[in-house]
Amino acid sequence: MLVTVRSPLPAAVLSGLLLALAFPGGPGLWPLLAVALVPLLLTLRGGIRGRAFRTGLVAGMVHFLVLLYWIVTVLGHYGGLPWYFSVPALGLLALYMALYVGFFALGARMLGETLPAPAALWLVPALWVGLDWLRGWLFSGFPWMDLGYALWGQPMLIQVADLLGHHGVTFLLVLVNTLLALLLSAGSGPGAGRLRLAAPVVLVIAGVAVYSAVRWHQVGQQMAGAERMPIGIVQGNIDQDLKWSPENQGKTVATYIDRTASLFAGDDGPRRPTLVVWPETALPFYPEGSMFVEDLQRMNTRFDMALLTGAPWYEVVDRDRKEYDYFNSAVLIAPTGEFIDRYSKSHLVPFGEYVPLKPLLPFLAPLVEAVGDFSPGVIGRPPAWRQGRIGVLVCFESIFPAIAGQWVRNGANVLVNLTNDAWYGKSSAPHHSLAMTVFRSVETRRSLVRSANTGISGFIDPLGRVVRQSGLFEPWAAAEDVILMAGESPWVRGGHLFAPLCAGAALAAIGWSVSGRRRRRHYL
């Protein structure tokens, strides 16, 4: 059966809606990812190239408006911006994200009209992945919920991520969509041609299934023989509107200390944590010199534990001129109360923790008065306690695979994500954040401990299984014997280059397509 889509707009809207239905936080109908792009791809045959771009833009707008609706909550309820700023901000962000889908549709159209179907079959997914990679890097990057992340809850299906990262999972999903679109269109030829087109894809998917099964068994054996460390998590569930008020600082510290004490109630034997993790800025004040530091020191000494907690930090640049550098940090405090290590967030949130190009954008000052003026830290030696070498991911650093990979290359045997998802409210965003974090465990083959002020705190094992998790907007504390893994996964060693290689291959093919078209016009 040959299928031709003559009206691109409904098909574009359908693709956008199918994508929206597949992602967590909503219906989460992840099998739809195998067909969600087919309506869009079927519109790309024939017509002018500009129509292909516009069709992709529409599909992207539908998808990202649904995916990112929580931006209005972040900017409006918690950021204090009126709706006539926050709603257009959502529209502009969705438009920016949709541009990548538009360029994908344009590029796929060019590849489809100049290359044979067997070549386009592989280069179209490479183009999508290459654009995802670009979006994760350009303008400091916003790689929020690439397609592969929607499979986070199916750990058996994502084990290939330790080879090619989450981009590899995305590639396979787009590959299946591209194959189905080619088989439904007139471009795949007669029956024998369709078989030759489908056979390599079936073999690749079968190979990935075998790889996943083998790695599941291998990593499971490594986990069984690996060293373990009891680690506790406290989710304080401190109201975002009260968190930074000076009169509530003592109450905030007392809440965290009380929840920490609950981890040591009774006799849990070896599960009594030697390290407890509090979330991002759990201490809403500068720790050095604070009256509350003695409370922390007494707690650590009482329970013979170390504490890794988020806190703001500052360093003196010039005391006479009153110049300081400010940091969003994670501080490691020993049982003696000594500050033994610190990591400061290296990938800051633009317009959230700093204003990019601030001298060139003075008109933004009234809108960002509450924005912190933080300096970035540096990923160096992992903070160490007992047998643990801790790769720290502060807030949305967990959505950047390269940061987790760098920690592992530097020797981290466990990852810890300190975050605060209260900004998102009761939206889909905390579920998205957890989904992306799961892939950091599979890519690096490290356990990941996630502590949120509120959000979804929990423990993730090196196979990507969520061992235990909290609910949203509830106080919570838990401890687990966390597996400490050594060595580097194939992704850490070199698989992280898969996405930029896809970008290069797609760009080269499009360049060849454009030059070939020009040559044909010249000869004609």
Side-chain angles (χ1 to χ4, degrees), residues 55 57 61 83 91 151-152 158 168 176 231 243 248 264 327 364 366 373 389 398 411 426 430 438 449 465 485 487:
T55 303
L57 193 67
M61 281 296 290
W83 68 266
L151 296 182
W152 74 280
I158 63 173
V176 171
I231 299 178
K243 180 176 180 178
N248 281 287
F264 296 87
F327 303 91
L364 289 177
D373 190 12
R389 303 294 179 267
S398 65
K426 293 184 178 180
V438 163
V449 178
R465 297 177 297 191
M485 296 280 277

Side-chain angles (χ1 to χ4, degrees), residues 44-327:
L44 303 182
R45 295 187 57 81
I48 60 174
R49 291 179 175 179
R51 190 186 79 169
F53 176 79
R54 291 191 297 271
T55 303
L57 193 67
V58 170
M61 281 296 290
V62 172
H63 171 47
F64 287 114
L65 282 172
V66 176
L67 187 75
L68 301 174
Y69 74 92
W70 46 267
I71 290 292
V72 175
T73 300
V74 172
L75 297 179
H77 181 74
Y78 294 105
L81 294 179
W83 68 266
Y84 48 84
F85 280 118
S86 55
V87 172
L90 167 62
L92 288 173
L93 180 58
L95 176 61
Y96 167 71
M97 302 282 274
L99 285 173
Y100 291 91
V101 185
F103 284 120
F104 164 75
L106 175 60
R109 167 76 166 80
M110 296 170 67
L111 293 172
E113 71 182 358
T114 58
L115 297 179
L121 172 63
W122 300 93
L123 286 167
V124 167
L127 174 62
W128 183 285
V129 168
L131 288 167
D132 275 353
W133 171 79
L134 181 64
R135 177 162 54 86
W137 171 80
L138 200 60
F139 308 122
S140 87
F142 189 58
W144 192 269
M145 288 306 290
D146 298 338
L147 295 190
Y149 285 130
L151 296 182
W152 74 280
Q154 310 299 320
M156 279 292 295
L157 300 182
I158 63 173
Q159 297 305 305
V160 73
D162 83 339
L163 182 63
L164 300 175
H166 80 280
H167 289 299
V169 179
T170 297
F171 182 94
L172 292 172
L173 290 170
V174 181
L175 178 65
V176 171
N177 279 267
T178 307
L179 174 64
L180 292 176
L182 286 172
L183 294 178
L184 290 170
S185 71
S188 57
R194 295 186 182 190
L195 180 61
R196 286 193 296 268
L197 197 65
V201 176
V202 173
L203 289 175
V204 166
I205 292 174
V208 168
V210 171
Y211 178 86
S212 295
V214 170
R215 288 298 286 157
W216 186 276
H217 177 70
Q218 289 176 342
V219 174
Q221 286 186 321
Q222 293 169 8
M223 289 164 56
E227 196 171 11
R228 294 171 182 257
M229 179 178 175
I231 299 178
I233 295 173
V234 174
Q235 176 169 291
N237 192 37
I238 305 300
D239 191 323
Q240 193 66 26
D241 295 328
L242 303 176
K243 180 176 180 178
W244 292 98
S245 60
E247 59 271 18
N248 281 287
Q249 291 178 355
K251 183 178 179 182
T252 295
V253 173
T255 296
Y256 277 104
I257 290 176
D258 289 345
R259 299 301 302 176
T260 300
S262 71
L263 296 174
F264 296 87
D267 183 13
D268 289 334
R271 188 167 284 188
R272 291 169 64 90
T274 58
L275 173 70
V276 174
V277 182
W278 291 2
E280 179 187 18
T281 59
L283 304 183
F285 49 81
Y286 296 103
E288 284 193 323
S290 169
M291 69 178 72
F292 301 111
V293 169
E294 291 186 3
D295 296 331
L296 302 180
Q297 293 170 336
R298 282 193 293 270
M299 176 190 69
N300 283 19
T301 301
R302 174 187 174 191
F303 298 121
D304 189 25
M305 53 162 268
L307 174 67
L308 181 66
T309 180
W313 198 270
Y314 72 91
E315 293 180 356
V316 178
V317 177
D318 190 321
R319 193 175 299 277
D320 293 333
R321 296 183 180 181
K322 297 183 178 180
E323 294 181 1
Y324 304 90
D325 282 339
Y326 299 94
F327 303 91

Side-chain angles (χ1 to χ4, degrees), residues 338-356:
E338 177 188 2
F339 291 79
I340 58 176
D341 214 334
R342 177 173 63 88
Y343 164 71
S344 296
K345 187 177 182 181
S346 60
H347 196 121
L348 301 175
V349 181
F351 302 107
E353 292 171 314
Y354 76 104
V355 180

Side-chain angles (χ1 to χ4, degrees), residues 446-471:
R446 292 296 186 269
S447 298
L448 193 145
V449 178
R450 191 165 197 266
S451 178
N453 168 47
T454 193
I456 303 178
S457 301
F459 301 89
I460 305 168
D461 74 11
L463 287 169
R465 297 177 297 191
V466 180
V467 177
R468 198 171 178 184
Q469 71 177 66
S470 73

Side-chain angles (χ1 to χ4, degrees), residues 2-70:
L2 305 182
V3 176
T4 302
V5 177
R6 300 186 182 277
S7 182
L9 186 60
V13 172
L14 177 59
S15 277
L17 291 176
L18 289 174
L19 288 172
L21 290 170
F23 278 75
L29 304 175
W30 60 267
L32 292 177
L33 291 173
V35 298
L37 295 177
V38 173
L40 171 63
L41 291 169
L42 288 174
T43 69
L44 303 182
R45 295 187 57 81
I48 60 174
R49 291 179 175 179
R51 190 186 79 169
F53 176 79
R54 291 191 297 271
T55 303
L57 193 67
V58 170
M61 281 296 290
V62 172
H63 171 47
F64 287 114
L65 282 172
V66 176
L67 187 75
L68 301 174
Y69 74 92
W70 46 267

